[in-house]
Amino acid sequence: MLKIENLKKLQFLRSLKIRIFLIAFIIGILSCNMMRYAILQNYEQRAVSLRISDVQTQLNILANHLITNRYLQGTTSEAIEAELSLLSNLYDGRVLIINNNLKVVKDTYGISGGKTIISEEVIRCLKGENTSQYDPENNFIEMTVPIMETLEADEVDESGKPAGPQYVARGVMLISVSTDYIAVTMDILNRKALVMEAIVILAIFSASILASFVIVRPFEKITDALNQVKAGYSNEPISVPDCLETEHIGDAFNAVISRMKVLDDSRQEFVSNVSHELRTPITSIKVLADSLRMQDDVPVELYKEFMEDIANEIDREDKIINDLLALIKMDRTDSDLNISQVDINALVEVIMRRLRPIALKRDIELVYESVRPVAASVDEVKITLVITNLVENAIKYNKEHGWVKVTLDADHQFFSVVVADSGMGIPEDSIEHIYERFYRVDKSHSREIDGTGLGLAITRSAILKHRGSIKVVSEEGEGTTFIVKIPLTYIAVS
Ligand code: ADP
């Protein structure tokens, strides 16, 4: 419960405006802080290194004086003492002079005089090395500088050249220099930087709010435009060209709307076609029945003839309704195929046997050629419907004494059923329409032949559900060939 409440509290974070504002604001504050820190650090480093080099110069001068005045040998002078106390006052620190026996000869604080100091820095310094160490916690720098004496060499080295002057460390100066003024300056700088930072953060705060509003504004505009369309106030294509993203959303939405319009148009056309096709047989029945009703003493033969016509029209109505139901069932995207392993050779043979009597009535020869045995995983009912429709059409749209040839073949991926006939053929401009619902080639001889115009629509739909293909080649007056290819194994899309 507690967790859900917490999550609800965080819901505001889902707002793009809040996210943009937070990101811009946090980045702004972080960079401000980092800048302040970097500037202070830089100042501190520079100030410390300046102080070190300053003190070092002073100590080198003093070291020279100490040597010339033989200070380490015990000779002292007022000038040296004054110089030492000046140095100690100037740098607000303590100066120790240590001889090469590690004994403190002078301590400006007067505490450690005569004591022995053994420290790593002092020993390193006696070897001629300058050392310096900054302690930012306690605000001081500790430095050591060797007191070097130059010995004139009158000897020559192994190569025969004069060996040159030699430097010997006679002692060490150890000095602690206060860095209080650096800390004070840093404190002042820090305070000034904080004031600046507060001003900059205020500016960043305003800029972040502005940015979040400006960036989100086009999205709000597009939502408004979508709502207008949703509420039915507008049917115009929406356009928010403020930024590329909203332009893309607008384009995608317009594409969806125009697709929906196409679907709606085709649905309306389908409904009007259905009502027209369903009404035709009923109108005929009504005309036939009325004409019988209007006449008195109708001969029995005419009665029989009219009743036969009425029965035919009822059969036609029944066929249209059945075909419609088959098509609607096929078009439903959620209707699954009932896949099983089917012997296609046997299936085609059964269909041929069933249709042979119809072909015989018009003396049409039905030939079946099976190139190889074919077994495939298909929906048996739907594939039966496909082959039956094609062979039925080949018989229906044939001429007397013609032929229909069905060939079954397969490769490693597909099996193919080719239905060729010697019939009337399909005019070139009609070929692209034959799979449309209710489309029939508008020729008087086609109109005489019984049909609903739904057969090929159902056939194509069943083939596409199997991820197969259907092609047609036709020559008017010569004949038609339908080529169907179906995968041997059905692969469902997830
Ligand atoms: P129908 O119920 O009219 O046969 P179909 O959808 O099966 O409907 O066929 C659509 C139209 O295509 C038919 O009306 C016919 O004009 C044409 N057609 C189909 N098959 C053939 C064929 N084998 N030979 C000539 N025309 C054909």
Side-chain angles (χ1 to χ4, degrees), residues 3 20 54 67 79 103 162 170 190 196 198 208 226 234 267 295 328 351 355 389 438 440 443 445 469:
K3 267 187 184 169
I20 294 171
D54 234 25
I67 289 293
K103 203 159 179 192
R170 293 291 183 213
N190 193 18
M196 285 296 289
S208 309
L226 294 181
S234 155
R267 191 181 55 87
Q295 295 176 45
I328 288 164
I351 295 169
L355 296 179
N389 271 347
F438 296 115
R440 305 200 68 206
K443 277 245 171 129
H445 49 255
S469 66

mmCIF file with all atom_site columns, all heavy atoms in Angstrom, residues 3 20 54 67 79 103 162 170 190 196 198 208 226 234 267 295 328 351 355 389 438 440 443 445 469:
data_model
loop_
_atom_site.group_PDB
_atom_site.id
_atom_site.type_symbol
_atom_site.label_atom_id
_atom_site.label_alt_id
_atom_site.label_comp_id
_atom_site.label_asym_id
_atom_site.label_entity_id
_atom_site.label_seq_id
_atom_site.pdbx_PDB_ins_code
_atom_site.Cartn_x
_atom_site.Cartn_y
_atom_site.Cartn_z
_atom_site.occupancy
_atom_site.B_iso_or_equiv
_atom_site.pdbx_formal_charge
_atom_site.auth_seq_id
_atom_site.auth_comp_id
_atom_site.auth_asym_id
_atom_site.auth_atom_id
_atom_site.pdbx_PDB_model_num
ATOM 1   N N   . LYS A 1 3   ? 3.887   1.491   -0.911  1.00 0.00 ? 3   LYS A N   1
ATOM 2   C CA  . LYS A 1 3   ? 4.657   1.615   -2.153  1.00 0.00 ? 3   LYS A CA  1
ATOM 3   C C   . LYS A 1 3   ? 3.797   2.256   -3.249  1.00 0.00 ? 3   LYS A C   1
ATOM 4   O O   . LYS A 1 3   ? 4.256   3.129   -3.969  1.00 0.00 ? 3   LYS A O   1
ATOM 5   C CB  . LYS A 1 3   ? 5.114   0.237   -2.619  1.00 0.00 ? 3   LYS A CB  1
ATOM 6   C CG  . LYS A 1 3   ? 6.485   -0.113  -2.112  1.00 0.00 ? 3   LYS A CG  1
ATOM 7   C CD  . LYS A 1 3   ? 6.962   -1.384  -2.712  1.00 0.00 ? 3   LYS A CD  1
ATOM 8   C CE  . LYS A 1 3   ? 8.300   -1.758  -2.109  1.00 0.00 ? 3   LYS A CE  1
ATOM 9   N NZ  . LYS A 1 3   ? 8.688   -3.095  -2.453  1.00 0.00 ? 3   LYS A NZ  1
ATOM 10  N N   . ILE A 1 20  ? 11.965  17.776  -18.356 1.00 0.00 ? 20  ILE A N   1
ATOM 11  C CA  . ILE A 1 20  ? 12.877  18.718  -19.034 1.00 0.00 ? 20  ILE A CA  1
ATOM 12  C C   . ILE A 1 20  ? 13.367  19.761  -18.040 1.00 0.00 ? 20  ILE A C   1
ATOM 13  O O   . ILE A 1 20  ? 14.559  20.069  -17.963 1.00 0.00 ? 20  ILE A O   1
ATOM 14  C CB  . ILE A 1 20  ? 12.179  19.395  -20.233 1.00 0.00 ? 20  ILE A CB  1
ATOM 15  C CG1 . ILE A 1 20  ? 11.884  18.354  -21.299 1.00 0.00 ? 20  ILE A CG1 1
ATOM 16  C CG2 . ILE A 1 20  ? 13.052  20.498  -20.818 1.00 0.00 ? 20  ILE A CG2 1
ATOM 17  C CD1 . ILE A 1 20  ? 11.015  18.861  -22.421 1.00 0.00 ? 20  ILE A CD1 1
ATOM 18  N N   . ASP A 1 54  ? 58.506  32.261  -3.857  1.00 0.00 ? 54  ASP A N   1
ATOM 19  C CA  . ASP A 1 54  ? 58.892  33.506  -3.176  1.00 0.00 ? 54  ASP A CA  1
ATOM 20  C C   . ASP A 1 54  ? 59.806  33.226  -1.994  1.00 0.00 ? 54  ASP A C   1
ATOM 21  O O   . ASP A 1 54  ? 60.907  33.786  -1.865  1.00 0.00 ? 54  ASP A O   1
ATOM 22  C CB  . ASP A 1 54  ? 57.589  34.112  -2.615  1.00 0.00 ? 54  ASP A CB  1
ATOM 23  C CG  . ASP A 1 54  ? 57.408  35.527  -3.080  1.00 0.00 ? 54  ASP A CG  1
ATOM 24  O OD1 . ASP A 1 54  ? 57.967  35.827  -4.145  1.00 0.00 ? 54  ASP A OD1 1
ATOM 25  O OD2 . ASP A 1 54  ? 56.696  36.279  -2.380  1.00 0.00 ? 54  ASP A OD2 1
ATOM 26  N N   . ILE A 1 67  ? 76.417  31.556  5.052   1.00 0.00 ? 67  ILE A N   1
ATOM 27  C CA  . ILE A 1 67  ? 77.711  30.950  4.725   1.00 0.00 ? 67  ILE A CA  1
ATOM 28  C C   . ILE A 1 67  ? 78.813  32.010  4.827   1.00 0.00 ? 67  ILE A C   1
ATOM 29  O O   . ILE A 1 67  ? 79.831  31.813  5.494   1.00 0.00 ? 67  ILE A O   1
ATOM 30  C CB  . ILE A 1 67  ? 77.674  30.319  3.308   1.00 0.00 ? 67  ILE A CB  1
ATOM 31  C CG1 . ILE A 1 67  ? 76.787  29.064  3.326   1.00 0.00 ? 67  ILE A CG1 1
ATOM 32  C CG2 . ILE A 1 67  ? 79.080  29.986  2.795   1.00 0.00 ? 67  ILE A CG2 1
ATOM 33  C CD1 . ILE A 1 67  ? 77.312  27.904  4.144   1.00 0.00 ? 67  ILE A CD1 1
ATOM 34  N N   . ALA A 1 79  ? 73.117  41.796  11.862  1.00 0.00 ? 79  ALA A N   1
ATOM 35  C CA  . ALA A 1 79  ? 72.474  41.862  10.540  1.00 0.00 ? 79  ALA A CA  1
ATOM 36  C C   . ALA A 1 79  ? 71.759  40.554  10.246  1.00 0.00 ? 79  ALA A C   1
ATOM 37  O O   . ALA A 1 79  ? 70.608  40.535  9.785   1.00 0.00 ? 79  ALA A O   1
ATOM 38  C CB  . ALA A 1 79  ? 73.514  42.143  9.479   1.00 0.00 ? 79  ALA A CB  1
ATOM 39  N N   . LYS A 1 103 ? 71.616  19.403  14.442  1.00 0.00 ? 103 LYS A N   1
ATOM 40  C CA  . LYS A 1 103 ? 71.397  20.173  15.669  1.00 0.00 ? 103 LYS A CA  1
ATOM 41  C C   . LYS A 1 103 ? 70.812  21.535  15.325  1.00 0.00 ? 103 LYS A C   1
ATOM 42  O O   . LYS A 1 103 ? 71.249  22.167  14.358  1.00 0.00 ? 103 LYS A O   1
ATOM 43  C CB  . LYS A 1 103 ? 72.749  20.372  16.385  1.00 0.00 ? 103 LYS A CB  1
ATOM 44  C CG  . LYS A 1 103 ? 72.585  20.634  17.838  1.00 0.00 ? 103 LYS A CG  1
ATOM 45  C CD  . LYS A 1 103 ? 73.870  20.308  18.544  1.00 0.00 ? 103 LYS A CD  1
ATOM 46  C CE  . LYS A 1 103 ? 73.702  20.607  20.028  1.00 0.00 ? 103 LYS A CE  1
ATOM 47  N NZ  . LYS A 1 103 ? 74.958  20.570  20.678  1.00 0.00 ? 103 LYS A NZ  1
ATOM 48  N N   . PRO A 1 162 ? 89.910  20.498  -15.075 1.00 0.00 ? 162 PRO A N   1
ATOM 49  C CA  . PRO A 1 162 ? 89.661  20.944  -13.697 1.00 0.00 ? 162 PRO A CA  1
ATOM 50  C C   . PRO A 1 162 ? 88.315  20.442  -13.230 1.00 0.00 ? 162 PRO A C   1
ATOM 51  O O   . PRO A 1 162 ? 87.351  20.414  -13.999 1.00 0.00 ? 162 PRO A O   1
ATOM 52  C CB  . PRO A 1 162 ? 89.656  22.469  -13.799 1.00 0.00 ? 162 PRO A CB  1
ATOM 53  C CG  . PRO A 1 162 ? 90.103  22.818  -15.164 1.00 0.00 ? 162 PRO A CG  1
ATOM 54  C CD  . PRO A 1 162 ? 90.039  21.614  -16.015 1.00 0.00 ? 162 PRO A CD  1
ATOM 55  N N   . ARG A 1 170 ? 76.058  22.570  4.343   1.00 0.00 ? 170 ARG A N   1
ATOM 56  C CA  . ARG A 1 170 ? 76.568  22.795  5.692   1.00 0.00 ? 170 ARG A CA  1
ATOM 57  C C   . ARG A 1 170 ? 75.448  22.761  6.715   1.00 0.00 ? 170 ARG A C   1
ATOM 58  O O   . ARG A 1 170 ? 75.684  22.686  7.906   1.00 0.00 ? 170 ARG A O   1
ATOM 59  C CB  . ARG A 1 170 ? 77.255  24.171  5.768   1.00 0.00 ? 170 ARG A CB  1
ATOM 60  C CG  . ARG A 1 170 ? 78.522  24.252  4.954   1.00 0.00 ? 170 ARG A CG  1
ATOM 61  C CD  . ARG A 1 170 ? 79.608  23.402  5.562   1.00 0.00 ? 170 ARG A CD  1
ATOM 62  N NE  . ARG A 1 170 ? 80.849  23.517  4.852   1.00 0.00 ? 170 ARG A NE  1
ATOM 63  C CZ  . ARG A 1 170 ? 81.725  22.539  4.725   1.00 0.00 ? 170 ARG A CZ  1
ATOM 64  N NH1 . ARG A 1 170 ? 81.470  21.354  5.279   1.00 0.00 ? 170 ARG A NH1 1
ATOM 65  N NH2 . ARG A 1 170 ? 82.852  22.714  4.073   1.00 0.00 ? 170 ARG A NH2 1
ATOM 66  N N   . ASN A 1 190 ? 35.035  32.555  -2.300  1.00 0.00 ? 190 ASN A N   1
ATOM 67  C CA  . ASN A 1 190 ? 33.959  31.574  -2.203  1.00 0.00 ? 190 ASN A CA  1
ATOM 68  C C   . ASN A 1 190 ? 32.622  32.283  -1.975  1.00 0.00 ? 190 ASN A C   1
ATOM 69  O O   . ASN A 1 190 ? 31.617  31.965  -2.613  1.00 0.00 ? 190 ASN A O   1
ATOM 70  C CB  . ASN A 1 190 ? 34.259  30.615  -1.052  1.00 0.00 ? 190 ASN A CB  1
ATOM 71  C CG  . ASN A 1 190 ? 33.358  29.396  -1.118  1.00 0.00 ? 190 ASN A CG  1
ATOM 72  O OD1 . ASN A 1 190 ? 32.781  29.130  -2.172  1.00 0.00 ? 190 ASN A OD1 1
ATOM 73  N ND2 . ASN A 1 190 ? 33.223  28.701  -0.027  1.00 0.00 ? 190 ASN A ND2 1
ATOM 74  N N   . MET A 1 196 ? 27.257  34.921  -6.850  1.00 0.00 ? 196 MET A N   1
ATOM 75  C CA  . MET A 1 196 ? 27.129  34.811  -8.313  1.00 0.00 ? 196 MET A CA  1
ATOM 76  C C   . MET A 1 196 ? 26.328  33.566  -8.672  1.00 0.00 ? 196 MET A C   1
ATOM 77  O O   . MET A 1 196 ? 25.464  33.577  -9.552  1.00 0.00 ? 196 MET A O   1
ATOM 78  C CB  . MET A 1 196 ? 28.513  34.692  -8.961  1.00 0.00 ? 196 MET A CB  1
ATOM 79  C CG  . MET A 1 196 ? 29.301  35.977  -9.004  1.00 0.00 ? 196 MET A CG  1
ATOM 80  S SD  . MET A 1 196 ? 28.503  37.194  -10.017 1.00 0.00 ? 196 MET A SD  1
ATOM 81  C CE  . MET A 1 196 ? 28.773  36.507  -11.620 1.00 0.00 ? 196 MET A CE  1
ATOM 82  N N   . ALA A 1 198 ? 24.154  31.954  -6.932  1.00 0.00 ? 198 ALA A N   1
ATOM 83  C CA  . ALA A 1 198 ? 22.725  32.095  -6.623  1.00 0.00 ? 198 ALA A CA  1
ATOM 84  C C   . ALA A 1 198 ? 22.021  32.839  -7.749  1.00 0.00 ? 198 ALA A C   1
ATOM 85  O O   . ALA A 1 198 ? 20.931  32.448  -8.186  1.00 0.00 ? 198 ALA A O   1
ATOM 86  C CB  . ALA A 1 198 ? 22.551  32.825  -5.304  1.00 0.00 ? 198 ALA A CB  1
ATOM 87  N N   . SER A 1 208 ? 15.092  27.115  -17.388 1.00 0.00 ? 208 SER A N   1
ATOM 88  C CA  . SER A 1 208 ? 14.620  25.725  -17.433 1.00 0.00 ? 208 SER A CA  1
ATOM 89  C C   . SER A 1 208 ? 13.107  25.696  -17.563 1.00 0.00 ? 208 SER A C   1
ATOM 90  O O   . SER A 1 208 ? 12.559  24.914  -18.342 1.00 0.00 ? 208 SER A O   1
ATOM 91  C CB  . SER A 1 208 ? 15.007  24.963  -16.172 1.00 0.00 ? 208 SER A CB  1
ATOM 92  O OG  . SER A 1 208 ? 16.351  25.117  -15.922 1.00 0.00 ? 208 SER A OG  1
ATOM 93  N N   . LEU A 1 226 ? -5.363  16.750  -32.341 1.00 0.00 ? 226 LEU A N   1
ATOM 94  C CA  . LEU A 1 226 ? -5.908  15.385  -32.341 1.00 0.00 ? 226 LEU A CA  1
ATOM 95  C C   . LEU A 1 226 ? -7.277  15.368  -31.671 1.00 0.00 ? 226 LEU A C   1
ATOM 96  O O   . LEU A 1 226 ? -8.203  14.712  -32.149 1.00 0.00 ? 226 LEU A O   1
ATOM 97  C CB  . LEU A 1 226 ? -4.966  14.421  -31.606 1.00 0.00 ? 226 LEU A CB  1
ATOM 98  C CG  . LEU A 1 226 ? -3.605  14.168  -32.248 1.00 0.00 ? 226 LEU A CG  1
ATOM 99  C CD1 . LEU A 1 226 ? -2.804  13.185  -31.417 1.00 0.00 ? 226 LEU A CD1 1
ATOM 100 C CD2 . LEU A 1 226 ? -3.783  13.606  -33.632 1.00 0.00 ? 226 LEU A CD2 1
ATOM 101 N N   . SER A 1 234 ? -13.193 18.814  -36.596 1.00 0.00 ? 234 SER A N   1
ATOM 102 C CA  . SER A 1 234 ? -12.409 19.031  -37.811 1.00 0.00 ? 234 SER A CA  1
ATOM 103 C C   . SER A 1 234 ? -12.102 17.697  -38.481 1.00 0.00 ? 234 SER A C   1
ATOM 104 O O   . SER A 1 234 ? -11.899 16.681  -37.818 1.00 0.00 ? 234 SER A O   1
ATOM 105 C CB  . SER A 1 234 ? -11.108 19.741  -37.425 1.00 0.00 ? 234 SER A CB  1
ATOM 106 O OG  . SER A 1 234 ? -10.113 19.476  -38.361 1.00 0.00 ? 234 SER A OG  1
ATOM 107 N N   . ARG A 1 267 ? -15.761 -0.409  -46.884 1.00 0.00 ? 267 ARG A N   1
ATOM 108 C CA  . ARG A 1 267 ? -16.817 -1.067  -46.094 1.00 0.00 ? 267 ARG A CA  1
ATOM 109 C C   . ARG A 1 267 ? -18.199 -0.634  -46.609 1.00 0.00 ? 267 ARG A C   1
ATOM 110 O O   . ARG A 1 267 ? -19.088 -1.460  -46.816 1.00 0.00 ? 267 ARG A O   1
ATOM 111 C CB  . ARG A 1 267 ? -16.659 -0.696  -44.617 1.00 0.00 ? 267 ARG A CB  1
ATOM 112 C CG  . ARG A 1 267 ? -17.513 -1.505  -43.677 1.00 0.00 ? 267 ARG A CG  1
ATOM 113 C CD  . ARG A 1 267 ? -17.307 -1.035  -42.237 1.00 0.00 ? 267 ARG A CD  1
ATOM 114 N NE  . ARG A 1 267 ? -17.563 0.389   -42.108 1.00 0.00 ? 267 ARG A NE  1
ATOM 115 C CZ  . ARG A 1 267 ? -18.759 0.902   -41.886 1.00 0.00 ? 267 ARG A CZ  1
ATOM 116 N NH1 . ARG A 1 267 ? -19.796 0.123   -41.769 1.00 0.00 ? 267 ARG A NH1 1
ATOM 117 N NH2 . ARG A 1 267 ? -18.919 2.217   -41.799 1.00 0.00 ? 267 ARG A NH2 1
ATOM 118 N N   . GLN A 1 295 ? -52.670 -12.999 -62.373 1.00 0.00 ? 295 GLN A N   1
ATOM 119 C CA  . GLN A 1 295 ? -53.449 -13.694 -63.419 1.00 0.00 ? 295 GLN A CA  1
ATOM 120 C C   . GLN A 1 295 ? -54.425 -14.691 -62.821 1.00 0.00 ? 295 GLN A C   1
ATOM 121 O O   . GLN A 1 295 ? -54.093 -15.381 -61.845 1.00 0.00 ? 295 GLN A O   1
ATOM 122 C CB  . GLN A 1 295 ? -52.497 -14.449 -64.352 1.00 0.00 ? 295 GLN A CB  1
ATOM 123 C CG  . GLN A 1 295 ? -51.573 -13.537 -65.139 1.00 0.00 ? 295 GLN A CG  1
ATOM 124 C CD  . GLN A 1 295 ? -50.587 -14.342 -65.971 1.00 0.00 ? 295 GLN A CD  1
ATOM 125 O OE1 . GLN A 1 295 ? -50.998 -15.315 -66.613 1.00 0.00 ? 295 GLN A OE1 1
ATOM 126 N NE2 . GLN A 1 295 ? -49.335 -13.970 -65.938 1.00 0.00 ? 295 GLN A NE2 1
ATOM 127 N N   . ILE A 1 328 ? -16.468 -13.539 -44.941 1.00 0.00 ? 328 ILE A N   1
ATOM 128 C CA  . ILE A 1 328 ? -16.338 -12.801 -43.679 1.00 0.00 ? 328 ILE A CA  1
ATOM 129 C C   . ILE A 1 328 ? -15.507 -13.620 -42.688 1.00 0.00 ? 328 ILE A C   1
ATOM 130 O O   . ILE A 1 328 ? -14.623 -13.092 -42.007 1.00 0.00 ? 328 ILE A O   1
ATOM 131 C CB  . ILE A 1 328 ? -17.735 -12.465 -43.108 1.00 0.00 ? 328 ILE A CB  1
ATOM 132 C CG1 . ILE A 1 328 ? -18.369 -11.380 -43.972 1.00 0.00 ? 328 ILE A CG1 1
ATOM 133 C CG2 . ILE A 1 328 ? -17.663 -12.014 -41.659 1.00 0.00 ? 328 ILE A CG2 1
ATOM 134 C CD1 . ILE A 1 328 ? -19.848 -11.214 -43.771 1.00 0.00 ? 328 ILE A CD1 1
ATOM 135 N N   . ILE A 1 351 ? -11.615 -33.825 -55.408 1.00 0.00 ? 351 ILE A N   1
ATOM 136 C CA  . ILE A 1 351 ? -12.290 -32.656 -55.997 1.00 0.00 ? 351 ILE A CA  1
ATOM 137 C C   . ILE A 1 351 ? -12.633 -32.935 -57.461 1.00 0.00 ? 351 ILE A C   1
ATOM 138 O O   . ILE A 1 351 ? -13.742 -32.657 -57.935 1.00 0.00 ? 351 ILE A O   1
ATOM 139 C CB  . ILE A 1 351 ? -11.393 -31.398 -55.882 1.00 0.00 ? 351 ILE A CB  1
ATOM 140 C CG1 . ILE A 1 351 ? -11.199 -31.035 -54.403 1.00 0.00 ? 351 ILE A CG1 1
ATOM 141 C CG2 . ILE A 1 351 ? -11.984 -30.212 -56.635 1.00 0.00 ? 351 ILE A CG2 1
ATOM 142 C CD1 . ILE A 1 351 ? -10.140 -29.980 -54.151 1.00 0.00 ? 351 ILE A CD1 1
ATOM 143 N N   . LEU A 1 355 ? -16.326 -32.996 -59.382 1.00 0.00 ? 355 LEU A N   1
ATOM 144 C CA  . LEU A 1 355 ? -16.710 -32.005 -60.402 1.00 0.00 ? 355 LEU A CA  1
ATOM 145 C C   . LEU A 1 355 ? -16.875 -32.611 -61.808 1.00 0.00 ? 355 LEU A C   1
ATOM 146 O O   . LEU A 1 355 ? -17.403 -31.962 -62.707 1.00 0.00 ? 355 LEU A O   1
ATOM 147 C CB  . LEU A 1 355 ? -15.687 -30.859 -60.436 1.00 0.00 ? 355 LEU A CB  1
ATOM 148 C CG  . LEU A 1 355 ? -15.603 -30.025 -59.158 1.00 0.00 ? 355 LEU A CG  1
ATOM 149 C CD1 . LEU A 1 355 ? -14.544 -28.943 -59.279 1.00 0.00 ? 355 LEU A CD1 1
ATOM 150 C CD2 . LEU A 1 355 ? -16.957 -29.349 -58.862 1.00 0.00 ? 355 LEU A CD2 1
ATOM 151 N N   . ASN A 1 389 ? -12.991 -23.868 -56.184 1.00 0.00 ? 389 ASN A N   1
ATOM 152 C CA  . ASN A 1 389 ? -13.398 -22.614 -56.838 1.00 0.00 ? 389 ASN A CA  1
ATOM 153 C C   . ASN A 1 389 ? -12.729 -22.458 -58.192 1.00 0.00 ? 389 ASN A C   1
ATOM 154 O O   . ASN A 1 389 ? -13.374 -22.092 -59.178 1.00 0.00 ? 389 ASN A O   1
ATOM 155 C CB  . ASN A 1 389 ? -13.001 -21.415 -55.969 1.00 0.00 ? 389 ASN A CB  1
ATOM 156 C CG  . ASN A 1 389 ? -14.093 -21.070 -54.982 1.00 0.00 ? 389 ASN A CG  1
ATOM 157 O OD1 . ASN A 1 389 ? -15.213 -21.552 -55.102 1.00 0.00 ? 389 ASN A OD1 1
ATOM 158 N ND2 . ASN A 1 389 ? -13.770 -20.252 -54.004 1.00 0.00 ? 389 ASN A ND2 1
ATOM 159 N N   . PHE A 1 438 ? -17.566 -9.255  -55.351 1.00 0.00 ? 438 PHE A N   1
ATOM 160 C CA  . PHE A 1 438 ? -18.717 -9.035  -56.252 1.00 0.00 ? 438 PHE A CA  1
ATOM 161 C C   . PHE A 1 438 ? -18.319 -8.648  -57.670 1.00 0.00 ? 438 PHE A C   1
ATOM 162 O O   . PHE A 1 438 ? -19.181 -8.311  -58.467 1.00 0.00 ? 438 PHE A O   1
ATOM 163 C CB  . PHE A 1 438 ? -19.671 -7.959  -55.686 1.00 0.00 ? 438 PHE A CB  1
ATOM 164 C CG  . PHE A 1 438 ? -20.308 -8.363  -54.393 1.00 0.00 ? 438 PHE A CG  1
ATOM 165 C CD1 . PHE A 1 438 ? -20.045 -7.687  -53.215 1.00 0.00 ? 438 PHE A CD1 1
ATOM 166 C CD2 . PHE A 1 438 ? -21.180 -9.444  -54.345 1.00 0.00 ? 438 PHE A CD2 1
ATOM 167 C CE1 . PHE A 1 438 ? -20.627 -8.062  -52.019 1.00 0.00 ? 438 PHE A CE1 1
ATOM 168 C CE2 . PHE A 1 438 ? -21.771 -9.821  -53.151 1.00 0.00 ? 438 PHE A CE2 1
ATOM 169 C CZ  . PHE A 1 438 ? -21.496 -9.141  -51.998 1.00 0.00 ? 438 PHE A CZ  1
ATOM 170 N N   . ARG A 1 440 ? -17.566 -9.146  -61.376 1.00 0.00 ? 440 ARG A N   1
ATOM 171 C CA  . ARG A 1 440 ? -17.767 -10.155 -62.422 1.00 0.00 ? 440 ARG A CA  1
ATOM 172 C C   . ARG A 1 440 ? -17.438 -9.480  -63.742 1.00 0.00 ? 440 ARG A C   1
ATOM 173 O O   . ARG A 1 440 ? -17.778 -8.312  -63.951 1.00 0.00 ? 440 ARG A O   1
ATOM 174 C CB  . ARG A 1 440 ? -19.210 -10.652 -62.434 1.00 0.00 ? 440 ARG A CB  1
ATOM 175 C CG  . ARG A 1 440 ? -19.660 -11.181 -61.078 1.00 0.00 ? 440 ARG A CG  1
ATOM 176 C CD  . ARG A 1 440 ? -20.858 -12.073 -61.207 1.00 0.00 ? 440 ARG A CD  1
ATOM 177 N NE  . ARG A 1 440 ? -20.507 -13.299 -61.888 1.00 0.00 ? 440 ARG A NE  1
ATOM 178 C CZ  . ARG A 1 440 ? -21.381 -14.050 -62.578 1.00 0.00 ? 440 ARG A CZ  1
ATOM 179 N NH1 . ARG A 1 440 ? -22.641 -13.664 -62.653 1.00 0.00 ? 440 ARG A NH1 1
ATOM 180 N NH2 . ARG A 1 440 ? -21.016 -15.165 -63.172 1.00 0.00 ? 440 ARG A NH2 1
ATOM 181 N N   . LYS A 1 443 ? -19.646 -8.969  -69.173 1.00 0.00 ? 443 LYS A N   1
ATOM 182 C CA  . LYS A 1 443 ? -19.898 -9.374  -70.569 1.00 0.00 ? 443 LYS A CA  1
ATOM 183 C C   . LYS A 1 443 ? -21.203 -10.157 -70.521 1.00 0.00 ? 443 LYS A C   1
ATOM 184 O O   . LYS A 1 443 ? -21.449 -10.894 -69.559 1.00 0.00 ? 443 LYS A O   1
ATOM 185 C CB  . LYS A 1 443 ? -18.765 -10.294 -71.040 1.00 0.00 ? 443 LYS A CB  1
ATOM 186 C CG  . LYS A 1 443 ? -17.545 -9.545  -71.516 1.00 0.00 ? 443 LYS A CG  1
ATOM 187 C CD  . LYS A 1 443 ? -17.377 -9.800  -72.973 1.00 0.00 ? 443 LYS A CD  1
ATOM 188 C CE  . LYS A 1 443 ? -16.289 -8.905  -73.542 1.00 0.00 ? 443 LYS A CE  1
ATOM 189 N NZ  . LYS A 1 443 ? -15.354 -9.660  -74.281 1.00 0.00 ? 443 LYS A NZ  1
ATOM 190 N N   . HIS A 1 445 ? -22.085 -12.852 -71.887 1.00 0.00 ? 445 HIS A N   1
ATOM 191 C CA  . HIS A 1 445 ? -21.996 -14.306 -71.682 1.00 0.00 ? 445 HIS A CA  1
ATOM 192 C C   . HIS A 1 445 ? -21.606 -14.646 -70.240 1.00 0.00 ? 445 HIS A C   1
ATOM 193 O O   . HIS A 1 445 ? -22.006 -15.663 -69.708 1.00 0.00 ? 445 HIS A O   1
ATOM 194 C CB  . HIS A 1 445 ? -21.079 -14.997 -72.695 1.00 0.00 ? 445 HIS A CB  1
ATOM 195 C CG  . HIS A 1 445 ? -19.746 -14.334 -72.852 1.00 0.00 ? 445 HIS A CG  1
ATOM 196 N ND1 . HIS A 1 445 ? -19.442 -13.572 -73.956 1.00 0.00 ? 445 HIS A ND1 1
ATOM 197 C CD2 . HIS A 1 445 ? -18.663 -14.324 -72.065 1.00 0.00 ? 445 HIS A CD2 1
ATOM 198 C CE1 . HIS A 1 445 ? -18.208 -13.110 -73.829 1.00 0.00 ? 445 HIS A CE1 1
ATOM 199 N NE2 . HIS A 1 445 ? -17.709 -13.568 -72.693 1.00 0.00 ? 445 HIS A NE2 1
ATOM 200 N N   . SER A 1 469 ? 0.679   -17.590 -52.850 1.00 0.00 ? 469 SER A N   1
ATOM 201 C CA  . SER A 1 469 ? 0.447   -16.569 -53.877 1.00 0.00 ? 469 SER A CA  1
ATOM 202 C C   . SER A 1 469 ? -0.450  -17.126 -54.969 1.00 0.00 ? 469 SER A C   1
ATOM 203 O O   . SER A 1 469 ? -0.527  -18.346 -55.157 1.00 0.00 ? 469 SER A O   1
ATOM 204 C CB  . SER A 1 469 ? 1.779   -16.123 -54.472 1.00 0.00 ? 469 SER A CB  1
ATOM 205 O OG  . SER A 1 469 ? 2.349   -17.210 -55.173 1.00 0.00 ? 469 SER A OG  1
#
